[in-house]
C-alpha cells in the first residue's frame, strides 16, 4: 500500500535495442522506497528481441509496454509515453528516466520531497554518477554555454567528496533523469519533437522557466548512468548529426543577439577543423558527412 501523502508518479522509460539495460533499470526501480508510481516503457521500434524479452520479464510486474511502429527519437518517444500517462493514469509528476540508468532506493522519495516544498519548482533532477565509476560525478545539475551552444554537466569527472551536496537552482537538469510536474506540462505542453535527439530537455526547461517555474538539482537523489549508450554523442554519426543540427535550432530560438553572433563565429571556425579531427580521432570518416549534413539541416 502506498502512503496517502505520496503523489502519483508516472515513470517513462524509452527502449531502443536495449533490453539488457532496460531490465537492469527496471530491477532497480522495483526496489525503491516509494510505492505510488507506475512505469511506462516505450519501445521505439527495436530491431532486436527487446519487446518479447521485456514482455516475458515484466509478466506479473507493474509495467505498461507501448510498442511504437517506428523510431520517434527521444523527444517524441517520451511524448508518446507522457500522453498515455496523462490520459489514463492522471499522475502529479512525470519522470523521464533513461533505460541505461540504475537508481538509488531513495532517489524518487528525495526528488518528490524537494518538489513538494515549493509550487514554483517545476523540474527536478538527481545527482548522477558514472555507472562504471560509481564515485565519479557525471552531473550535479546542468548549465548552458551560450557562446558554444553546449550543455555543461556541473561537476562532471570529479570524485564526489560532498562538494555538490546542497540543493541548488540550475539552468536545467539532465534528460537522463528528469522529473517534471504535471502542472508544468499542462501549461507549456510536451517536448518539441523536432529535436528528435539532444537539446530537447534544455528547450523544455527554458519554456518552463518562461512560464515562471524553476529547476532544482537534488543531491540526496542518486542515479548511475551509462553515458551515451544510444546516440553515442559525437563519436557516432547519428549523435554528431543531431548535436550539430540541434544546436543551430536551439540557438536561433533562445540565444540573445551577441551570443548568437559569437556562436556563428565559433561554428565557422569549427567547421574547418572539428569534423576532420573527429573523423581521425574516432577512425570514422562517416563523421564528416554527418557533421556537414547536420550543419545544413540546422540552417
Amino acid at each position: 500500500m502506498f502512503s496517502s501523502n505520496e503523489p502519483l508518479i508516472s515513470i517513462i522509460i524509452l527502449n531502443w535495442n536495449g533490453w539488457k539495460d532496460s531490465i537492469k533499470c527496471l530491477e532497480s526501480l522495483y526496489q525503491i522506497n516509494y510505492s505510488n508510481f507506475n512505469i511506462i516503457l516505450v519501445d521505439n521500434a527495436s530491431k532486436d528481441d527487446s519487446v518479447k524479452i521485456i514482455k516475458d520479464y515484466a509478466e506479473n510486474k507493474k509495467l505498461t509496454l507501448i510498442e511504437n511502429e517506428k523510431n520517434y527519437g527521444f523527444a517524441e518517444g517520451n511524448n508518446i509515453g507522457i500522453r498515455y500517462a496523462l490520459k489514463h493514469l492522471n499522475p502529479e509528476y512525470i519522470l523521464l528516466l533513461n533505460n541505461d540508468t540504475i537508481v538509488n532506493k531513495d532517489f524518487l522519495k528525495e526528488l518528490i520531497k524537494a518538489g513538494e516544498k515549493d509550487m514554483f519548482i517545476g523540474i527536478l533532477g538527481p545527482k548522477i554518477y558514472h555507472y562504471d565509476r560509481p564515485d565519479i560525478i557525471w552531473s550535479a545539475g546542468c548549465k548552458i554555454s551560450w557562446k558554444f551552444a553546449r550543455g555543461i554537466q556541473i561537476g562532471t569527472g570529479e570524485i564526489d567528496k560532498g562538494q555538490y551536496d546542497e540543493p541548488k537552482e540550475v539552468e536545467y537538469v539532465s534528460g537522463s533523469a528528469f522529473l517534471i510536474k504535471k502542472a508544468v506540462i499542462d501549461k507549456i505542453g510536451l517536448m518539441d519533437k523536432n529535436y528528435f535527439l539532444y537539446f530537447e530537455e534544455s528547450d523544455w526547461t527554458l519554456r518552463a522557466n518562461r512560464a515562471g517555474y524553476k529547476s532544482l538539482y537534488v543531491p540526496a537523489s542518486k542515479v548511475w548512468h551509462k553515458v551515451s549508450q544510444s546516440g553515442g554523442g559525437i563519436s557516432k554519426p547519428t549523435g554528431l548529426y543531431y548535436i550539430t543540427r540541434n544546436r543551430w535550432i536551439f540557438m536561433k530560438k533562445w540565444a540573445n543577439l551577441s551570443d548568437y553572433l559569437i556562436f556563428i563565429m565559433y561554428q565557422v571556425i569549427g567547421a574547418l577543423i572539428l569534423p576532420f579531427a573527429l573523423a581521425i580521432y574516432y577512425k570514422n570518416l562517416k563523421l564528416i558527412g554527418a557533421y556537414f549534413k547536420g550543419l545544413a539541416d540546422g540552417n
Side-chain angles (χ1 to χ4, degrees):
M1 293 291 293
F2 61 84
S3 169
S4 61
N5 61 359
E6 287 184 347
L8 177 61
I9 318 301
S10 285
I11 301 173
I12 315 293
I13 299 173
L14 197 61
N15 179 79
W16 183 65
N17 299 323
W19 62 266
K20 289 182 182 178
D21 286 332
S22 292
I23 287 175
K24 288 179 181 177
C25 179
L26 290 168
E27 280 291 307
S28 70
L29 282 171
Y30 292 133
Q31 309 299 318
I32 65 175
N33 296 326
Y34 195 94
S35 302
N36 196 19
F37 71 94
N38 49 67
I39 304 173
I40 302 165
L41 190 142
V42 181
D43 184 79
N44 242 347
S46 294
K47 302 301 182 186
D48 61 3
D49 293 325
S50 281
V51 171
K52 180 183 183 306
I53 293 170
I54 292 169
K55 275 183 178 177
D56 290 344
Y57 163 80
E59 190 174 7
N60 301 320
K61 288 185 171 68
K62 186 192 297 186
L63 182 71
T64 298
L65 178 61
I66 297 174
E67 299 176 50
N68 288 341
E69 72 278 6
K70 68 177 185 179
N71 185 354
Y72 286 99
F74 183 86
E76 186 62 11
N78 276 299
N79 283 346
I80 288 168
I82 295 168
R83 287 190 195 98
Y84 179 91
L86 296 180
K87 182 176 180 180
H88 299 287
L89 303 172
N90 195 32
E92 294 179 58
Y93 289 79
I94 295 283
L95 173 70
L96 307 185
L97 187 67
N98 272 24
N99 74 321
D100 58 355
T101 58
I102 303 295
V103 303
N104 177 273
K105 288 184 178 182
D106 293 326
F107 98 106
L108 189 55
K109 181 174 70 175
E110 294 294 341
L111 288 175
I112 298 305
K113 187 196 302 182
E116 290 293 280
K117 289 179 179 178
D118 185 346
M119 65 181 293
F120 293 107
I121 295 172
I123 296 168
L124 304 100
K127 182 187 289 184
I128 305 176
Y129 298 89
H130 285 269
Y131 176 80
D132 56 351
R133 294 178 292 163
D135 61 338
I136 303 294
I137 295 169
W138 180 66
S139 179
C142 308
K143 58 185 177 181
I144 299 168
S145 171
W146 285 101
K147 293 175 176 60
F148 290 94
R150 289 181 59 239
I152 297 174
Q153 310 295 337
I154 298 168
T156 190
E158 298 182 25
I159 297 174
D160 186 6
K161 297 178 180 178
Q163 66 272 44
Y164 298 106
D165 277 358
E166 292 298 321
K168 182 182 179 182
E169 188 177 339
V170 291
E171 280 192 271
Y172 74 102
V173 301
S174 169
S176 57
F178 185 104
L179 183 72
I180 184 169
K181 290 178 178 175
K182 175 183 178 290
V184 180
I185 300 174
D186 289 341
K187 186 169 285 190
I188 71 172
L190 301 178
M191 281 187 284
D192 184 348
K193 66 180 182 180
N194 187 43
Y195 284 99
F196 192 83
L197 183 65
Y198 300 121
F199 284 87
E200 59 280 288
E201 78 269 36
S202 308
D203 178 88
W204 210 20
T205 303
L206 289 173
R207 286 160 53 200
N209 292 348
R210 190 166 60 185
Y213 292 100
K214 300 178 287 189
S215 298
L216 189 71
Y217 156 69
V218 184
S221 175
K222 299 179 180 180
V223 170
W224 288 262
H225 180 31
K226 305 168 190 174
V227 180
S228 294
Q229 289 289 86
S230 298
I234 61 173
S235 67
K236 301 288 178 60
T238 298
L240 181 59
Y241 166 77
Y242 282 110
I243 289 171
T244 304
R245 185 195 76 149
N246 290 352
R247 63 169 32 123
W248 283 93
I249 295 171
F250 179 83
M251 290 295 283
K252 282 187 282 188
K253 182 175 181 179
W254 292 107
N256 63 44
L257 181 59
S258 62
D259 285 340
Y260 187 58
L261 291 175
I262 294 171
F263 164 75
I264 292 173
M265 180 184 70
Y266 281 131
Q267 291 301 299
V268 170
I269 296 169
L272 302 175
I273 302 168
L274 183 62
F276 306 101
L278 291 174
I280 293 168
Y281 183 80
Y282 291 112
K283 299 183 174 71
N284 188 347
L285 293 176
K286 291 182 180 178
L287 291 172
I288 297 173
Y291 178 89
F292 284 109
K293 187 175 190 311
L295 189 64
D297 291 351
N299 287 276

